[in-house]
Amino acid sequence: KAGVTQTPRYLIKTRGQQVTLSCSPISGHRSVSWYQQTPGQGLQFLFEYFSETQRNKGNFPGRFSGRQFSNSRSEMNVSTLELGDSALYLCASSRLGGGTDTQYFGPGTRLTVL
Amino acid sequence: GQQLNQSPQSMFIQEGEDVSMNCTSSSIFNTWLWYKQDPGEGPVLLIALYKAGELTSNGRLTAQFGITRKDSFLNISASIPSDVGIYFCAGQGGATNKLIFGTGTLLAVQP
């Protein structure tokens, strides 16, 4: 069974631009969560999508948004990029989400904002 | 953002030594997870714990879910060079699958 895939793996943008990252979950998984990883803040939860609906959200500004498609693939968008948005963005999928459903991570997208 | 207290921050050991790391929280969790992350990659699940007091092994790895549900530890026995990486604990609670991660433990193993 293929794992979680994320595209692109690396991205360089400049301040003020916007970016869209993509995540394809493990086949059969319907929940997709996004995390931001930085040296200073560690791994922080962004949001979770299930059945095309945002089910849970972390403490990030509205510039960070996402969506999920009917095939469970998810995209994350960051508008008006700031230098501090440079990070590894990780996507994780699980079958149904919920409190005991194990999450499996993709390799991440390394975003650099110049 | 919220992070769990994980210690030690880093460990430099000789091949063959045993390793122990732990994670504590001020909140109760229903699930504790341990992940390993290699440079440039996403975290890989090592062990998942679902019950307070549960002790689970995965090869040379052993982890326990604390009785208070506020802590967990991970032991690695007879370390080998490929154990090098960053180890993260993560707590999962309530009805959501939002993970709260620890600050990470960097493990270096000298052959």
Side-chain angles (χ1 to χ4, degrees):
Chain A
K1 192 186 258 190
V4 178
T5 58
Q6 291 186 246
T7 56
R9 290 293 310 273
Y10 303 92
L11 208 47
I12 299 175
K13 293 286 187 178
T14 56
R15 278 183 300 174
Q17 288 187 309
Q18 74 164 16
V19 67
T20 299
L21 312 180
S22 179
C23 172
S24 293
I26 292 171
S27 177
H29 285 194
R30 294 169 58 191
S31 169
V32 174
S33 297
W34 288 88
Y35 293 82
Q36 181 196 63
Q37 186 175 26
T38 60
Q41 295 296 315
L43 281 147
Q44 297 294 324
F45 174 79
L46 280 156
F47 29 65
E48 182 215 357
Y49 284 86
F50 180 81
S51 290
E52 303 177 63
T53 301
Q54 188 181 88
R55 190 159 67 172
N56 199 9
K57 190 176 187 304
N59 297 322
F60 280 82
R63 299 185 298 107
F64 291 82
S65 63
R67 60 178 176 168
Q68 187 180 34
F69 302 94
S70 58
N71 62 357
S72 295
R73 189 176 70 85
S74 177
E75 287 183 347
M76 189 193 102
N77 184 275
V78 187
S79 62
T80 319
L81 284 165
E82 300 177 359
L83 294 178
D85 297 333
S86 294
L88 180 66
Y89 289 89
L90 293 158
C91 147
S93 79
S94 61
R95 285 193 310 116
L96 298 173
T100 58
D101 205 10
T102 303
Q103 294 180 58
Y104 297 90
F105 283 82
T109 294
R110 171 73 63 185
L111 172 64
T112 302
V113 182
L114 302 176
Chain B
Q2 185 182 4
Q3 287 184 280
L4 305 177
N5 297 315
Q6 188 172 343
S7 63
Q9 188 174 1
S10 60
M11 302 180 75
F12 299 88
I13 62 171
Q14 297 284 332
E15 182 177 0
E17 289 185 19
D18 296 344
V19 169
S20 184
M21 58 191 79
N22 68 78
C23 212
T24 60
S25 168
S26 58
S27 306
I28 289 174
F29 289 113
N30 296 329
T31 303
W32 279 94
L33 305 155
W34 285 92
Y35 288 88
K36 176 177 182 256
Q37 186 175 26
D38 293 326
E41 299 296 329
V44 174
L45 181 66
L46 299 173
I47 290 181
L49 302 157
Y50 301 107
K51 291 182 185 177
E54 178 182 358
L55 185 71
T56 297
S57 293
N58 179 8
R60 295 178 296 104
L61 277 60
T62 301
Q64 183 158 31
F65 191 144
I67 289 290
T68 65
R69 294 166 64 194
K70 293 183 177 181
D71 63 315
S72 177
F73 73 74
L74 174 71
N75 288 340
I76 305 173
S77 63
S79 58
I80 59 178
S82 63
D83 290 334
V84 166
I86 302 178
Y87 291 78
F88 290 97
C89 63
Q92 189 173 3
T96 77
N97 67 347
K98 171 184 174 181
L99 292 175
I100 307 297
F101 280 89
T103 47
T105 295
L106 171 64
L107 178 62
V109 180
Q110 184 168 356

